[in-house]
Amino acid sequence: MHNRIRIHITGTVQGVGFRPFVYNLANKYNLKGFCLNDSRGVLIEVQGEMIDRFIEEIKTSPPPLSRIEELTSRVLVDGEVYEDFSIRESVSHEGNFTFVSPDIATCPDCLKELFDTMDRRYHYPFINCTNCGPRFTIVNDVPYDRINTTMSDFRMCHDCSSEYHDPANRRFHAQPNACPVCGPQLMLLNNEGFAVQTPDPISTVCTLLRDGKIVAVKGLGGYHIACDALNSKSVSLLRKRKYREDKPFAVMMENIETVNKFCHVNAKEETLLLSTQRPIVLLKKKSDCAILHDVSVPPPPLTPPARGWGNLSSTQIGGTFPSPRWGRSGGGAELLPHDIAPDNLYLGVMLPYTPLHHLITKESGLPLVMTSGNVSDEPIAYKDSEALERLKGIADYFLVHDRDIFMRCDDSVVKVVEDSETIIRRSRGYAPSPVRLQYAFPKPVFACGAFLKNTFCLARGNHAFLSHHIGDLENIETLNSYETAIEHYKRLFSIEPEAIAYDLHPEYLSTKYALAQKDTLSKIGVQHHHAHIVSCMAENGITHKVIGVAFDGLGYGDDGNFWGGEFLIADFSEYERAGHLDYVPMPGGEQAIKEPWRMAVSYLYQIYGNDIPLINTPLTPHFTGENKTIVDHPKIKVLLKMLSQRINCPMTSSMGRLFDGVASLLDLQHSVNYEGQAAIKLESIADEHIIDHYPFDIDVLAGTRCRVPFIIQWQPVIKHIMEDLQHKTANPIISVRFHNSIVEMVVQVCIILRGSKGINDVVLSGGVFQNKFLFKRLLNKLSSQNFNVYFQKKVPCNDGGLSLGQAIIASERLKTCV
């Protein structure tokens, strides 16, 4: 008898063509046996002479989309003698888990077939194979088999079934396999939900987009709302309908050549745009953002699908659409409207990642706004009935299909910093792949995340399953989405947590969710900025104490104030607040976040007190229309009374609020429509050629004699900004001096802490470090002072990465409770 071995492989090994790969490899080495999916990964039994070479090739040349976490093997003494090698039915073991693959962008082979007129899937918008297509968004359970996906209702035709069972075929055991005969189909609806009679929905949608219409398009993880990105009227109308005044829109472009016409693209950014994740990549706009666009020659019409959509009858609404033959004669300079990403240096760009996107962008020839299908602050719509109800006031038409989405999932957002991918929003293409850590969780833990940009984290072993982007937890719709996703992750990865970590802020919905859970769970509150620092430490494999610099909008502090300009000495289990920005009142509380002019007045009041009427600022003409002193406006009079009597004026040490206040003082932004808007505008005008900075004070004695954190005093910075304004110094110079001041401030504090604590490792985290200009200057300056600097790449530095830090801190505290 030949050698006989059982092999078990864990990792991302389901939904990535692993079993077909093993099948063909076994035949290559003349091995007999079987392989199957189970709830832990892939199980293999083989017998034959060349098992060692078989195992070695699995390790060195696995399928490109797979990720082997562990491969174990043991010799079997006796058992069944196999006559061939086969793929067996999947089995499930309660309590075990395997990884679920993220959704994967259309592969080159499928793309070639999509546009091959001789291929049976020519222009079929749901083409896929073992190397691409939907995964996470259609799976409802494991193992990853068709019966456990939303493709279970589609019975494969003879041709598709033959491919599925053919080991030599690229679609061998491709679970979403389908074609025009047996698979999902498209239908075009108007915004009242009636079907539009058209021989070809895609070509008609392209005509509608060119005509300035707004179309909701059902994608992988939910609905996008699309319009012609070159049509300023359509873009403005979309903003109005979506109640999205200023927040940048993402744009989908057909190919890299198109992207290069509008944006600067380096090699790393191009790699990300073309990656299997296909995220939105933040690219620096070209100064003119102009192209020559010639649409005088229409594209060929698409072949109508061979099958209708569900049982819905086609009803003609407003006339029958002809087979499209559109065009605009001639050519001319066409610009992306300012309204796409107003007052922003960067444009969020993605390339098509589904066959449907490829077909629409190619035929329309347009760059398309592709924004989440929701009204602002709501979760993305992903169910058809929900989309029609919620989006009918935004979209003129709906391009729908009958493949259900099981789990909604927004697009991911990344940027390149120092030639490294840095994730800003971790979602489609990345989730639900776990973050593998050097840290091991002794018990399963659940971390609730924050209020803004929420993600949650389920952790076991050395894996942290960071959820896809949930959004801002500020309404019941998002909370319901949050709770549904939690249960789904617990089921997929067989994790039943023994502890739950939450933010200290008592009004966060995530905190209230945690405190409402069963009493058998250990409930552990975690300070916001400690979680930021530990999240970055964990990603970088650091376990010893570090100097943690946590700069963000705000987080609830141990003293009941709102922190956000923090210097911590921290490890996984504890932290010391070593220093922070001096406190300042936030007049109106949350309203001061939405109206930066309130923070500007607060900063001035702390410095000048009753002398503030003598100060003229850009605020004055903004409020009065005349060159009067700042207190002549009734709003400011009320604000000063609030400040003097400390009425509804919570205290904050937030760096984010300091950026807001300075942006308002420079007359850049007095109210905001999305988080970080004022700071983004302040960054966008900075003159990068200036290297000088404003003075600042560090009250070191407070931290040494009184054993309390030392205070970084921002007052000198504001005073010098006011002097520059009175001398009519240009805003770009003031902006860069302010940025440089923050850089110098951080470096000097870190030098002091290195001297007193003997720590040379600096960890940077918090949303303020999304400011690329600030971050790069700070990184270079700290490195020049021989600090080891660590920052986040795989996990967002904003609140989207907070849950990872929460989970680790809670796990450490559990150890001390045993």
Side-chain angles (χ1 to χ4, degrees):
M1 181 184 293
H2 297 311
N3 294 328
R4 185 163 176 265
I5 284 182
R6 174 173 291 177
I7 303 165
H8 202 271
I9 304 172
T10 62
T12 306
V13 291
Q14 294 189 14
V16 292
F18 210 94
R19 288 175 299 170
F21 161 75
V22 170
Y23 178 94
N24 288 308
L25 197 61
N27 284 314
K28 173 181 176 180
Y29 290 112
N30 196 30
L31 302 177
K32 313 300 182 185
F34 69 88
C35 70
L36 57 82
N37 278 347
D38 64 16
S39 50
R40 293 174 294 176
V42 171
L43 176 68
I44 306 166
E45 283 193 15
V46 286
Q47 59 187 29
E49 296 290 349
M50 292 189 285
I51 293 177
D52 289 344
R53 293 177 64 183
F54 170 76
I55 293 175
E56 183 61 24
E57 191 160 343
I58 289 176
K59 292 178 178 178
T60 58
S61 304
L65 299 175
S66 67
R67 188 180 68 180
I68 296 175
E69 291 275 326
E70 186 178 40
L71 186 153
T72 59
S73 61
R74 64 184 179 92
V75 176
L76 300 177
V77 179
D78 52 21
E80 181 180 352
V81 176
Y82 304 109
E83 296 182 357
D84 57 12
F85 193 91
S86 63
I87 295 179
R88 292 188 175 180
E89 291 293 320
S90 299
V91 297
S92 180
H93 304 286
E94 189 172 346
N96 294 313
F97 77 100
T98 189
F99 301 151
V100 175
S101 169
D103 299 303
I104 305 164
T106 308
C107 71
D109 289 329
C110 283
L111 197 58
K112 182 179 179 180
E113 292 172 350
L114 183 66
F115 292 104
D116 181 355
T117 57
M118 303 303 294
D119 194 277
R120 72 187 188 92
R121 292 186 177 87
Y122 172 62
H123 281 175
Y124 180 57
F126 305 97
I127 189 172
N128 68 86
C129 69
T130 55
N131 298 318
C132 68
R135 298 291 193 273
F136 171 61
T137 53
I138 65 169
V139 66
N140 56 54
D141 208 346
V142 290
Y144 176 70
D145 289 319
R146 193 178 182 101
I147 195 172
N148 290 328
T149 73
T150 59
M151 285 297 295
S152 61
D153 291 337
F154 297 92
R155 184 175 180 178
M156 283 184 282
C157 66
H158 177 269
D159 288 342
C160 285
S161 182
S162 297
E163 293 169 334
Y164 183 88
H165 291 97
D166 178 5
N169 195 284
R170 196 174 82 253
R171 295 184 171 88
F172 183 44
H173 280 253
Q175 304 307 327
N177 189 30
C179 74
V181 174
C182 65
Q185 300 295 322
L186 293 173
M187 177 169 252
L188 183 63
L189 309 177
N190 70 1
N191 60 7
E192 295 180 354
F194 293 101
V196 175
Q197 183 177 335
T198 169
D200 191 335
I202 292 177
S203 286
T204 302
V205 161
C206 292
T207 302
L208 291 168
L209 291 168
R210 282 197 154 284
D211 197 35
K213 301 299 183 184
I214 297 170
V215 181
V217 180
K218 187 177 180 181
L220 272 182
Y223 278 78
H224 281 116
I225 301 176
C227 75
D228 178 358
L230 298 175
N231 188 324
S232 59
K233 290 183 179 179
S234 294
V235 174
S236 296
L237 181 60
L238 176 55
R239 284 205 176 278
K240 181 179 179 181
R241 290 181 179 178
K242 192 171 159 65
Y243 302 106
R244 184 168 171 148
E245 293 92 339
D246 302 302
K247 193 173 184 179
F249 284 137
V251 179
M252 181 175 282
M253 300 185 185
E254 181 185 353
N255 49 41
I256 289 292
E257 291 73 25
T258 305
V259 179
N260 275 305
K261 294 174 183 176
F262 295 99
C263 301
H264 300 281
V265 186
N266 63 32
K268 182 64 177 181
E269 289 164 340
E270 180 172 333
T271 298
L272 286 170
L273 286 166
L274 293 167
S275 68
T276 59
Q277 291 85 6
R278 291 288 168 106
I280 297 169
V281 182
L282 298 185
L283 304 172
K284 195 161 188 179
K285 297 176 185 174
K286 289 188 173 177
S287 56
D288 54 0
C289 269
I291 62 167
L292 286 176
H293 189 61
D294 191 340
V295 293
S296 58
V297 182
L302 298 180
T303 302
R307 178 182 169 214
W309 188 79
N311 296 316
L312 186 61
S313 60
S314 181
T315 305
Q316 180 176 335
I317 301 295
T320 302
F321 283 94
S323 183
R325 290 289 179 181
W326 45 261
R328 276 183 278 173
S329 60
E334 293 192 316
L335 302 171
L336 284 176
H338 175 75
D339 226 11
I340 292 280
D343 303 313
N344 202 308
L345 293 173
Y346 298 92
L347 183 67
V349 179
M350 59 180 160
L351 296 182
Y353 57 84
T354 71
L356 180 59
H357 293 146
H358 282 285
L359 292 168
I360 293 173
T361 55
K362 188 172 184 64
E363 174 153 353
S364 70
L366 297 170
L368 297 172
V369 167
M370 279 282 189
T371 187
S372 298
N374 59 357
V375 179
S376 290
D377 301 327
E378 293 182 355
I380 186 172
Y382 73 111
K383 293 182 177 179
D384 299 331
S385 58
E386 169 199 31
L388 286 165
E389 179 61 31
R390 287 171 51 197
L391 305 181
K392 63 184 178 182
I394 301 175
D396 300 306
Y397 293 90
F398 289 75
L399 185 60
V400 302
H401 59 74
D402 54 345
R403 185 182 70 204
D404 288 340
I405 299 168
F406 188 81
M407 182 53 56
R408 72 179 103 213
C409 193
D410 273 288
D411 295 314
S412 294
V413 181
V414 306
K415 64 180 176 181
V416 174
V417 180
E418 297 297 293
D419 204 38
S420 296
E421 175 188 16
T422 303
I423 295 180
I424 295 171
R425 185 168 78 192
R426 187 178 184 272
S427 205
R428 177 193 52 77
Y430 297 87
S433 291
V435 179
R436 189 173 188 185
L437 306 170
Q438 296 179 27
Y439 179 85
F441 292 88
K443 295 180 179 180
V445 173
F446 173 72
C448 294
F451 166 64
L452 295 175
K453 299 178 175 65
N454 179 272
T455 65
F456 59 82
C457 180
L458 277 162
R460 63 182 289 179
N462 61 348
H463 296 109
F465 292 91
L466 206 65
S467 78
H468 55 288
H469 171 77
I470 303 295
D472 298 347
L473 286 179
E474 57 185 0
N475 53 52
I476 191 64
E477 293 84 5
T478 311
L479 180 62
N480 289 338
S481 173
Y482 174 74
E483 293 177 345
T484 299
I486 290 169
E487 294 306 312
H488 186 49
Y489 272 68
K490 286 165 67 175
R491 182 173 61 254
L492 281 185
F493 304 116
S494 298
I495 299 177
E496 195 56 50
E498 296 184 28
I500 185 167
Y502 59 90
D503 193 274
L504 294 179
H505 197 303
E507 294 304 314
Y508 281 2
L509 289 181
S510 54
T511 299
K512 293 180 178 181
Y513 170 86
L515 297 177
Q517 300 308 300
K518 58 188 180 183
D519 292 335
T520 54
L521 279 174
S522 298
K523 298 173 184 177
I524 302 170
V526 176
Q527 203 283 320
H528 189 93
H529 300 96
H530 187 203
H532 267 308
I533 298 304
V534 171
S535 177
C536 185
M537 291 172 65
E539 179 184 325
N540 287 280
I542 304 169
T543 58
H544 53 265
K545 285 190 183 295
V546 299
I547 300 171
V549 185
F551 288 174
D552 63 2
L554 58 83
Y556 200 80
D558 292 338
D559 59 2
N561 293 320
F562 293 115
W563 297 2
E566 309 305 311
F567 293 85
L568 309 180
I569 303 300
D571 59 19
F572 283 177
S573 59
E574 59 186 7
Y575 72 94
E576 171 194 351
R577 192 186 191 197
H580 61 84
L581 282 180
D582 197 5
Y583 281 124
V584 63
M586 289 173 57
E590 185 178 346
Q591 200 62 29
I593 301 173
K594 299 176 181 178
E595 297 180 347
W597 68 266
R598 292 171 178 260
M599 291 307 305
V601 172
S602 184
Y603 286 114
L604 293 177
Y605 180 80
Q606 304 312 303
I607 297 172
Y608 300 103
N610 293 330
D611 292 333
I612 195 171
L614 303 176
I615 304 299
N616 286 301
T617 77
L619 284 170
T620 310
H622 173 75
F623 283 120
T624 66
E626 304 172 21
N627 190 23
K628 295 181 180 179
T629 57
I630 192 171
V631 296
D632 286 329
H633 194 280
K635 278 190 177 181
I636 297 182
K637 287 182 179 180
V638 171
L639 208 70
L640 291 176
K641 186 175 181 179
M642 292 171 64
L643 287 165
S644 66
Q645 299 181 16
R646 293 295 170 90
I647 301 170
N648 191 20
C649 288
M651 302 298 287
T652 185
S653 59
S654 167
M655 181 62 76
R657 300 289 75 80
L658 182 58
F659 270 81
D660 283 356
V662 172
S664 180
L665 288 174
L666 270 59
D667 202 22
L668 297 175
Q669 195 79 39
H670 300 296
S671 62
V672 299
N673 294 309
Y674 64 91
E675 187 198 16
Q677 183 178 4
I680 288 170
K681 188 174 281 191
L682 186 63
E683 177 193 2
S684 71
I685 67 165
D687 184 341
E688 61 185 17
H689 301 100
I690 305 294
I691 60 173
D692 58 318
H693 63 84
Y694 298 121
F696 53 88
D697 291 334
I698 302 173
D699 186 356
V700 182
L701 293 179
T704 55
R705 292 181 180 175
C706 304
R707 300 185 62 82
V708 295
F710 57 75
I711 308 301
I712 300 100
Q713 295 176 339
W714 44 260
Q715 290 86 344
V717 174
I718 298 296
K719 285 181 179 178
H720 281 81
I721 287 174
M722 297 307 298
E723 290 176 8
D724 271 355
L725 287 171
Q726 290 172 345
H727 293 132
K728 301 189 183 304
T729 304
N731 276 353
I733 296 175
I734 298 175
S735 174
V736 73
R737 285 174 176 169
F738 172 71
H739 280 83
N740 290 342
S741 302
I742 304 305
V743 170
E744 194 65 28
M745 179 190 300
V746 173
V747 172
Q748 291 305 314
V749 171
C750 289
I751 289 173
I752 293 169
L753 290 175
R754 177 167 61 184
S756 64
K757 304 291 184 179
I759 300 172
N760 199 53
D761 292 333
V762 177
V763 167
L764 307 176
S765 190
V768 168
F769 292 116
Q770 292 176 155
N771 182 320
K772 193 171 182 178
F773 182 86
L774 174 74
F775 177 80
K776 289 179 69 174
R777 291 206 166 188
L778 178 56
L779 182 63
N780 292 335
K781 194 69 180 285
L782 285 170
S783 299
S784 72
Q785 295 295 320
N786 298 314
F787 284 101
N788 302 318
V789 186
Y790 300 92
F791 56 96
Q792 283 149 298
K793 300 175 185 178
K794 299 177 183 177
V795 175
C797 69
N798 58 47
D799 283 2
L802 200 76
S803 58
L804 174 60
Q806 289 176 337
I808 291 174
I809 294 167
S811 180
E812 283 296 295
R813 292 185 186 168
L814 276 178
K815 293 178 183 178
T816 63
C817 297
V818 176

